[in-house]
Each structure stands twice: as structure tokens, then as C-alpha cells.
Amino acid sequence: MTWGNATGGTPKPVRVALLGCGTVGTEVVRLLREQATDLAARVGAPVELTGIGVRRPNKHRGQVPAELLTTDAAALVDSDVDVVVEVIGGIEPARTLLVTALRAGKSVVTANKALLAEHGAELFAAADASGADLYFEAAVAGAIPLLRPLRESLAGDRITRVMGIVNGTTNYILSAMDSTGAGYAETLEEASRLGYAEADPTADVDGYDAASKAAILASLAFHTRVTAADVHREGIASVTAADIAAAKAIDRTVKLLAICERVTHADGRESVSARVHPAMIPRSHPLAGVGGAFNAVFVEADAAGQLMFYGRGAGGAPTASAVLGDLVAAARNRVVAGRGPRESAYADLPAQPMGQVSTRYHISLDVADRAGVLAQVAAVFAEHDVSIAAVRQEGRVNDASLVIVTHGASDAALRSTVDKIGGLPVVREVVSVMRVEGEQP
Amino acid sequence: MTWGNATGGTPKPVRVALLGCGTVGTEVVRLLREQATDLAARVGAPVELTGIGVRRPNKHRGQVPAELLTTDAAALVDSDVDVVVEVIGGIEPARTLLVTALRAGKSVVTANKALLAEHGAELFAAADASGADLYFEAAVAGAIPLLRPLRESLAGDRITRVMGIVNGTTNYILSAMDSTGAGYAETLEEASRLGYAEADPTADVDGYDAASKAAILASLAFHTRVTAADVHREGIASVTAADIAAAKAIDRTVKLLAICERVTHADGRESVSARVHPAMIPRSHPLAGVGGAFNAVFVEADAAGQLMFYGRGAGGAPTASAVLGDLVAAARNRVVAGRGPRESAYADLPAQPMGQVSTRYHISLDVADRAGVLAQVAAVFAEHDVSIAAVRQEGRVNDASLVIVTHGASDAALRSTVDKIGGLPVVREVVSVMRVEGEQP
């Protein structure tokens, strides 16, 4: 359903249903009220909030107009609204509600990264069937305008790589470990106490949140359906104080990175790799200075070169800013009978299995301090066809520290190499194994 | 003219005329050819280049298909095309050609900052009259997706400030002066020799280029028509080696900044200030590290907080990337009968005269080394109601160096203060006067 804006008459308001009223939802309601005049001018019609679907209305009284609250989200979606804004999070009931809305021709604005990363194709299909819009800028990197540039500004370019810090909790923990030298468990506890980590931090620390975002970024960047299941995922729970110290010793810091790459094979075929894992990056790298609640994402494209986007990655107001930007776009499309961008998955590139992805490793070993150790270790690398970029050996009282940085090699080869090295009698301990990113291979 | 995409049939191509074939135009032609399949998939129809308007066709033979070249740009615009891409630059003939195209319902993609900054209203009016699209991402900050985020992603937020480095030539010169300690004239000569400055560098070094960009940014950020004439403009020709040294002495560096601010007055009224001038910024500020050909722009908004956009600000391929992104949007709108964003100037805020804009000054003086000098100088500040934030006095053999950083004060008051201080008998020389930005006031 679309309607024109009769010349001279008062334009019909664009009617909006809000699903969810937590930190982000409350901010959306506030901005809709405070910016009403501006929003109407930008949309070309008043934006009217007709209802807010919540589980426990009593919880929200005083914060938002009580008469808008309803527990019947399905009825709200089914009512006479033009745009449904979803900030509930999680798969159900969000999925059913949004598919219903889109099928009925209602445009959807959502901040739901998990839903997009798992059921994006279903949502896009429902949107396409009815001609409704689906916007989700707030699902990745909070307030940072990132998805619209990827979907639209770079639509005439060939994106080759997206790499960024997209989870604030893990970034806070790793930054704190870097500055205090403390271990992971201790730092997580402190982060929870200070409110930087959720009571159940699994989604953040195990990389699920970042993996959902990587799936969304890879889908948009490479015009290919990538789901969270396609993303190789390693969290930060296994990052030790020794890893951080090893990074510091070579002027690097450890960050949890989401990396999406277009891989071009020797025969010209292309595939897509999407992965989330901790990695050492040089302290001089712009991502190294991104602290706490901030997110930053690098995008590399053939013609544009290197771009960086930086800003607040989470929080009620920043996320609400992204939601409102999408809401203005969806509402304006209603007024001018326009249409936002659709799913673009025409490239349909295959996923590159992680074992075949080329990465670099930094390996720190405690070895016996005697002749021939380096030769034995180096032989294992050679055997697995892994080329060594740099070696540093330092004698200590009874043993020696041996640090090796490899050139790019398949992840499978690197893993086998490390496994075999760990079994060498001359190797006392594999102190730290970590990927290296952010420098020329 | 718009047409649907008949199900099952081959969609009609979107016909594109290119005006101008310099560095950017050549790259546009190359990308249109190399990315043809991808562009068709993203647009939903093939994109067909029907002609290239140039002044001297012989100059371009070998680089672009000769049969597309024409000297009759007016006839090309008048022919059966859907989108006109303009990369000629300058006011005429670009202005007449684009107004003609827009009035005839042809969408326009342009990289022409001077034209937008001076005649944006006329172009938008022509676009509105026919329902055509007007896109101009490439006009500011080259490849960096900046205008689309401002126009669309932040459409639900209230932008308060935009500050950035938007001119590569001046950034190169100031960076070089900072690292070598050389003077302006000498560094400009070197920059010209190396191809970093044009034969006639006026548009860059006198700040005209940056002022056009500031006008465009302020218009979009504040929903108000701001033209280049509204922008206070100071170039870098008066930046001396002494200014750079003074900045270094307090761990700052000098950058040419474009600054657009929403000014809220005591009575709640708002106005818009747009200015371009050199300023000292702390070396720890993210803009301090932006070197050479790169541009970076900070955006501050009420809900989103602080955002930064970084990337290549000029060059054929980066600018062509931005042009192609716009072309895909304009072409897709043709295919789906959609419509891009229109001019948004509803806020219509008044321009703040530069004399009333609050800025901070860094003033470095050579003064007589005797009792009472500081008192005399401080009295002049007090007399003009300019508050001093920091003072540093250092005795030398026969005189002393006195450095003063002010709090924010009206530009008029600061200028009068400096004029009067320069006339004090105890002041031997006003060594450097420069604005200070990038720190809390």
C-alpha cells in the first residue's frame, strides 16, 4: 500500500508500530517525540507512533505513553500501520512478526542482527513479494552508517575486504587485559561488575554477536547470502595474559576482529570467507586505538581504496539514531511511492572453508636451550609448507623463548604445524598461538 | 520517464551520457566496462554508455571508445538518455547542461562541488520540477561515503557539528611543512613539482575548494541552503614556519579544517556557521594523523554521538567509485520507478556572521623582558572580554616569548584583541596567531 501526497492537502501521517521497548526502544520513542517537527519535514508527512508491543506493560509506565503499550504484538502488526520497527532482538517472536508484517506490505526497520544473519533470506523474500522495504542499519555497528554505504555508496565498486571491531564488550575486555596485564576470567568479572558485560556474556565473548554482524557485512559486501553458520567463529575466552604479553613484546595489541574477504583463486573463481577471531594487530594500526564502546570498520574496494568508519557501536541513543534514519527512509518511501534497496545476492559466491583461508600466525614457544632446536622447529614448518616471516630466539636460565611469525598459509596447514610442534620433545610449552592481521603479507 | 521491468522480458537498458573525460571520466568509462555484469545485476538492467561529451575528441582516442566521443554536449544531453553524469567541473557549461537535463526529467550524477555550492538550489528546483534525481556524493571527500550518510543515515538525528580535512593539496603542504620546518612558498613549489598541487593552486591553497565542500556539508547537515559565499574562508598562504613551530612546541599540528556548526543561541534560536581556516589541533586528535591525499570528516549528532569517516579524498578511481555508486542508485530508481532524496532545506536557518562565531586563539608574541609586560597584555584581553585559558612566558637574552591560548570568544573580539596587542610598545612582534580546534572548550 502506497499513497501520494495530494498537493495542498495535509499529508496522511505515516503510522508506525514499535516492537520492544528496552534501552533502544525507549530512545526511539523519545526521539520520535522530540524530533517530531523535523521528522515530519524530512519525511514529507507526520510520523505517528500507534502502538508499542511489550511483554510487561507495567515495567514501562512513566517512560513511554501508557496508552500506546500493548502485549498483543501480533494484533499491533496486523493493525493499520505502514512501518514496523523491531527492537526486541532474538529469533522468535521477532521472526514471525516481521515476516507477517512484510508479507502484508508493511515496511520493516529492525536492529536484530541474529535474525538477519540467520533468516535474512526469508525476510527479504517476504519484502520482495509485497514490495515492502527492509532496513537494518542498526543491526551492525550501532550508530555508524555502514550498511547504507556498503549497499548503496559502493554499489558501483568491487569490495574486496571488510575488517572491523564490531563488538564493544570483547573490545572492552581485551583493552583492559592489555592495559592491566590481567587474565581473561578476572577481567570478564570486572567488566560484568562495571556493566560492560551482560550477566550471560556468551553471545559476546564467544563471538556469536560478531559472527552475526560478519554474516550481514559479507552478504552486503559480496552480494551473496552468508549466514552466521558460514562464519568461522572463535571467541576471546582462550586469550591469555601470555598472549597479550607476547603481543606487547612485538608492539602489537590483541583485538577481536570480524573479517570478510573476497578470495580470488588461481583459476579466476571467487569465494567468500567470513571469520571472527582474536588477532594481533600493530599498535600503529588505526583499529588498535579503538577503545571500549567504540566500533570501527575498514572497507577496501578496488576503486575507492581503503575507507574507515568509526563511531559508537552500541547503546540506546546511538542505536536509536540508526533506527530513526532507517525509519525516515522507509516512511519517505511510503510518501513518494519509492522503494529502498532490495536483497542483492546475485553473485552467489561459495563460502571458503576456514581450513583453506590464508592467515598468518604468531607462535610463542618455551624451548630447551640447546643446539639444533630451531632446526627441528623450522623443519616442521617446512614440512607443512608454511613459510616463516620472522624468528626471535632469546636464551634464559634453563630454556629459551622462541617466537615465530609466519607468512600467509592455509589455516589447516598452520594448525597441523602447531600441533606437531607442540609434540616435539624440545618444545616445553606452546605459550601462545595467535593470528596476525593488519599488515602487508 | 520511468518504465517498469516486464517480468520475463529483457529489461531495457538504462542509457547514460557522460560529460567530461578527464582523470575521473576515464575511470568512470573503465569501471562501466569492467563492472558491466555486476552493474547490470545491481541495477536490474544493463547500463549503457551512449556518449561522452568532450572538448577535444583527439585527446581521448585510445583511452575510450572513439565512436562515443562528441563535442556537442548539448545534443548529447538532449538525446534519449536516462542519466547524465557530469565530471567537467566549473560552473559553465556544466550548469546549463545539467539544468536542461534535470528539467527534461533526466537524472543527474555530478562530482561538481563548485556548481553545487553556488547553484545547488537551482539544480534541485529543476530536479523537483520533473521528478528527476540529483546525486553528488563525489563532490565532497572523493570516495568516502559521506553525503549519503548525512542525507539518509542520520535523517532521524540532529547533527550539531561537521569538522574535517576535505582538501588533499593543502593537507599535503601543511604535513610537509610540519615535517620539514620549511616555509609555505618553498613547500608549495615542491608540491607543484611533485604533482600534488595544480599549476594554478588558488582554488586549493586559498580555501575555495574546501569552502565549496563546507557549503555542501552544511546544507545537508542542517537542512538549510548554504552557499560558498556564506562560508568564511581563510587559506593556508599566510601559514608561516613560525606558526608550525609554535604548534609543535605545544604538541599540536596545523590543518586546514572545514567546520560546520549548528549554533544554539540563549533564546533558543539556531543559526548555522560554516568556515574554512587553518587551525592547530592536538597531535593526539584523529585528524592529526590524516596525511597527504586522505580526507577525514568528523560528524557529531545528538543521538549518534561522534562518527568519523576516512578515506581517499581525490584521484580518478576513488572519485569514480563515488560517481558509480550514485549512478547505480539513479539507474535503479529508473528501473523500479523510485526516487532518490530531494533537497531538504526546510530548516532555513540563518547564517552566523564569522565575527559572532566563537573560536579559540593561540597567540605567540615576542615581548620585552621586563616587569609588567604580562599585566599590560592581559589587560587588553580583559578589556575585550576574552578569557585566557593558558599562558607560557619564557625569558630569552634580550626579550621573552609569551604564548597565550584563549577560551572561546567571538572572532570579532579576538581580532580586536590581537590588533591592539600588536600595537603595544612592549610587544616586539606578533609571531603567530592561529585558531585552536579539536579540544574541549
Side-chain angles (χ1 to χ4, degrees):
Chain A
M1 64 157 266
T2 50
W3 23 262
N5 176 352
T7 316
T10 308
K12 256 180 78 175
V14 177
R15 294 167 59 87
V16 176
L18 176 65
L19 305 179
C21 198
T23 324
V24 177
T26 311
E27 283 297 311
V28 168
V29 174
R30 182 180 69 81
L31 290 173
L32 279 174
R33 194 181 54 232
E34 290 182 5
Q35 312 262 39
T37 315
D38 280 311
L39 293 174
R42 295 174 194 177
V43 167
V47 178
E48 187 188 328
L49 182 61
T50 65
I52 308 172
V54 294
R55 258 189 300 185
R56 290 183 300 276
N58 284 330
K59 206 178 130 193
H60 305 281
R61 291 198 204 285
Q63 286 166 2
V64 297
E67 69 277 14
L68 294 181
L69 293 167
T70 170
T71 54
D72 194 346
L76 179 57
V77 165
D78 200 43
S79 68
D80 175 26
V81 296
D82 303 297
V83 184
V84 174
V85 174
E86 185 264 316
V87 290
I88 312 172
I91 304 300
E92 288 294 351
R95 176 185 174 187
T96 304
L97 291 167
L98 297 193
V99 169
T100 306
L102 289 166
R103 284 201 186 128
K106 290 154 189 179
S107 293
V108 162
V109 173
T110 172
N112 195 326
K113 56 203 153 258
L115 182 60
L116 256 299
E118 278 190 44
H119 303 285
E122 184 185 4
L123 294 177
F124 274 118
D128 257 12
S130 70
D133 280 338
L134 174 60
Y135 284 103
F136 48 96
E137 181 71 67
V140 182
I144 310 174
L146 179 61
L147 305 191
R148 185 169 273 107
L150 283 182
R151 289 175 102 175
E152 304 180 47
S153 307
L154 290 163
D157 208 334
R158 185 171 166 276
I159 298 172
T160 51
R161 198 162 199 266
V162 179
M163 173 167 95
I165 295 170
V166 295
N167 180 272
T169 302
T170 50
N171 198 43
Y172 173 86
I173 293 172
L174 291 173
S175 302
M177 286 173 72
D178 185 83
S179 42
T180 64
Y184 167 73
E186 186 185 338
T187 310
L188 170 60
E189 206 177 288
E190 176 77 358
S192 305
R193 210 177 52 74
L194 296 172
Y196 290 108
E198 309 254 353
D200 176 1
T202 313
D204 293 316
V205 299
D206 288 349
Y208 290 100
D209 174 82
S212 291
K213 292 165 176 170
I216 296 172
L217 290 173
S219 301
L220 299 182
F222 306 128
H223 302 272
T224 289
R225 282 181 189 159
V226 179
T227 67
D230 299 320
V231 181
H232 173 81
R233 179 185 51 73
E234 296 169 36
I236 64 164
S238 60
V239 176
T240 63
D243 290 328
I244 304 278
K248 269 195 163 166
I250 53 166
D251 211 27
R252 287 178 171 76
T253 186
V254 177
K255 294 287 187 188
L256 183 70
L257 300 178
I259 301 173
C260 310
E261 280 174 325
R262 180 194 293 270
V263 182
T264 306
H265 302 272
D267 61 1
R269 283 181 311 109
E270 292 187 327
S271 55
V272 166
S273 140
R275 55 193 214 262
V276 168
H277 56 68
M280 291 183 184
I281 58 171
R283 280 191 191 267
S284 59
H285 193 283
L287 289 180
V290 176
F294 281 86
N295 281 191
V297 178
F298 267 87
V299 177
E300 288 173 32
D302 275 352
Q306 202 168 59
L307 303 168
M308 188 175 88
F309 302 80
Y310 171 90
R312 295 197 175 273
T319 309
S321 168
V323 167
L324 266 280
D326 280 352
L327 176 54
V328 167
R332 193 159 45 192
N333 285 341
R334 292 280 155 170
V335 174
V336 302
R339 179 78 203 276
R342 307 183 196 196
E343 181 181 30
S344 178
Y346 71 88
D348 198 19
L349 300 174
Q352 175 88 335
M354 187 61 188
Q356 292 167 23
V357 172
S358 173
T359 60
R360 305 178 66 201
Y361 269 27
H362 173 281
I363 301 156
S364 176
L365 308 170
D366 266 1
V367 296
D369 193 8
R370 67 167 109 107
V373 170
L374 182 55
Q376 285 188 48
V377 170
V380 177
F381 280 90
E383 196 179 296
H384 290 87
D385 217 17
V386 174
S387 170
I388 292 175
V391 176
R392 203 187 53 186
Q393 183 161 9
E394 269 172 31
R396 289 184 300 220
V397 182
N398 291 314
D399 58 0
S401 148
L402 181 59
V403 172
I404 294 159
V405 181
T406 73
H407 281 299
S410 82
D411 204 71
L414 286 163
R415 283 183 181 260
S416 314
T417 307
V418 172
D419 283 353
K420 182 134 184 208
I421 282 173
L424 290 178
V426 296
V427 172
R428 303 214 174 142
E429 193 192 351
V430 177
V431 179
S432 159
V433 177
M434 185 154 288
R435 293 198 180 80
V436 176
E437 293 286 346
E439 40 205 325
Q440 296 309 314
Chain B
M1 62 158 270
T2 50
W3 23 261
N5 176 350
T7 316
T10 308
K12 258 179 78 174
V14 177
R15 295 167 59 86
V16 177
L18 176 66
L19 305 179
C21 199
T23 325
V24 177
T26 312
E27 282 296 312
V28 168
V29 175
R30 183 180 68 82
L31 290 173
L32 278 174
R33 193 181 55 232
E34 289 183 6
Q35 312 262 38
T37 316
D38 280 311
L39 292 173
R42 295 174 194 177
V43 167
V47 177
E48 186 189 328
L49 183 60
T50 65
I52 308 173
V54 294
R55 258 190 299 184
R56 291 183 298 275
N58 285 330
K59 205 179 132 193
H60 306 281
R61 293 201 203 282
Q63 286 167 3
V64 298
E67 68 277 15
L68 294 181
L69 294 168
T70 171
T71 54
D72 194 346
L76 179 58
V77 165
D78 199 43
S79 69
D80 176 26
V81 296
D82 303 299
V83 184
V84 174
V85 174
E86 185 265 315
V87 290
I88 313 174
I91 303 301
E92 288 295 351
R95 176 185 174 187
T96 303
L97 291 167
L98 296 192
V99 168
T100 306
L102 289 166
R103 284 203 186 124
K106 289 152 190 181
S107 293
V108 162
V109 173
T110 172
N112 194 325
K113 55 206 153 258
L115 182 60
L116 255 299
E118 278 189 44
H119 302 286
E122 183 185 6
L123 294 177
F124 274 118
D128 258 12
S130 71
D133 280 338
L134 173 61
Y135 285 103
F136 47 96
E137 181 71 67
V140 182
I144 310 175
L146 180 60
L147 305 191
R148 186 170 273 106
L150 284 181
R151 285 174 105 177
E152 303 181 46
S153 307
L154 290 164
D157 208 334
R158 185 172 166 277
I159 297 172
T160 51
R161 198 161 199 268
V162 180
M163 173 167 95
I165 295 170
V166 295
N167 180 273
T169 302
T170 50
N171 198 43
Y172 173 85
I173 293 173
L174 292 173
S175 302
M177 286 174 72
D178 185 84
S179 43
T180 63
Y184 167 73
E186 186 185 339
T187 311
L188 170 59
E189 207 176 286
E190 176 76 359
S192 304
R193 210 178 52 76
L194 296 171
Y196 289 108
E198 309 254 354
D200 175 2
T202 314
D204 293 315
V205 300
D206 287 350
Y208 290 99
D209 174 82
S212 289
K213 292 165 177 170
I216 296 171
L217 291 172
S219 301
L220 298 181
F222 306 129
H223 302 272
T224 289
R225 282 181 189 161
V226 178
T227 66
D230 299 321
V231 180
H232 173 81
R233 179 184 51 75
E234 296 170 36
I236 64 164
S238 60
V239 176
T240 63
D243 290 328
I244 304 277
K248 270 196 163 166
I250 52 167
D251 211 28
R252 287 179 171 76
T253 186
V254 176
K255 293 287 186 187
L256 183 70
L257 300 178
I259 302 173
C260 311
E261 280 175 324
R262 181 193 292 272
V263 183
T264 306
H265 301 273
D267 60 2
R269 282 181 310 110
E270 291 187 326
S271 54
V272 167
S273 139
R275 54 192 215 262
V276 168
H277 57 68
M280 290 183 184
I281 58 171
R283 281 193 189 266
S284 59
H285 193 283
L287 290 180
V290 175
F294 281 86
N295 282 190
V297 178
F298 268 86
V299 178
E300 288 174 31
D302 276 352
Q306 203 168 59
L307 303 167
M308 189 176 85
F309 302 80
Y310 171 91
R312 293 195 177 272
T319 308
S321 169
V323 167
L324 265 280
D326 280 352
L327 176 55
V328 167
R332 192 158 47 193
N333 285 342
R334 292 278 154 169
V335 174
V336 301
R339 179 78 204 275
R342 307 182 197 197
E343 180 181 30
S344 179
Y346 71 89
D348 198 18
L349 300 175
Q352 177 86 338
M354 187 61 189
Q356 293 167 25
V357 172
S358 174
T359 61
R360 304 178 65 201
Y361 269 27
H362 173 281
I363 301 156
S364 176
L365 307 170
D366 265 1
V367 296
D369 192 9
R370 66 166 109 107
V373 170
L374 181 58
Q376 283 187 49
V377 170
V380 178
F381 280 90
E383 199 180 293
H384 291 87
D385 217 16
V386 174
S387 170
I388 293 175
V391 176
R392 203 186 54 185
Q393 183 161 10
E394 269 172 33
R396 289 184 299 219
V397 181
N398 291 312
D399 58 0
S401 147
L402 181 60
V403 172
I404 294 160
V405 180
T406 73
H407 281 299
S410 81
D411 204 70
L414 287 164
R415 282 182 181 261
S416 313
T417 306
V418 172
D419 283 351
K420 182 134 184 206
I421 283 172
L424 290 179
V426 295
V427 173
R428 303 210 176 146
E429 193 193 351
V430 177
V431 178
S432 159
V433 176
M434 186 153 289
R435 293 199 179 78
V436 176
E437 293 286 345
E439 37 206 328
Q440 295 310 314

